[in-house]
Amino acid sequence: MDATFMDRRPKLQDGLGMVIFVVGVVIGTLLLNTFVFQTFNVEGASMETTMYTGDRLIVNRLPVTWFKVAE
């Protein structure tokens, strides 16, 4: 009987796996929102022929991120 603690506790192992997964998703989301995408809400009439107040933009920040890394 050479079972480790985690082998004897499958529910604990599943719970720990779920916590690690959720933490990974949160960290991945933060990294994506910080370095890859950024969202903006359109406010005002300056872009009214193409966009209107309340529209939402998703901007690709990858070129800016690569430029800052290469400096």
Side-chain angles (χ1 to χ4, degrees):
M1 301 239 173
D2 195 9
T4 64
F5 179 74
M6 290 303 254
D7 290 336
R8 290 180 277 156
R9 307 276 189 206
K11 288 185 180 183
L12 180 63
Q13 187 176 7
D14 290 344
L16 186 60
M18 183 63 75
V19 168
I20 291 171
F21 174 75
V22 169
V23 168
V25 167
V26 168
I27 290 172
T29 302
L30 289 173
L31 289 174
L32 281 174
N33 285 335
T34 302
F35 298 112
V36 180
F37 300 111
Q38 189 168 4
T39 60
F40 295 97
N41 287 328
V42 175
E43 305 218 1
S46 64
M47 299 180 69
E48 236 175 59
T49 57
T50 55
M51 304 191 123
Y52 299 95
T53 299
D55 286 353
R56 184 162 230 175
L57 293 169
I58 299 176
V59 177
N60 179 8
R61 292 184 42 90
L62 217 53
V64 174
T65 301
W66 282 119
F67 179 74
K68 286 184 178 181
V69 167
E71 284 185 335

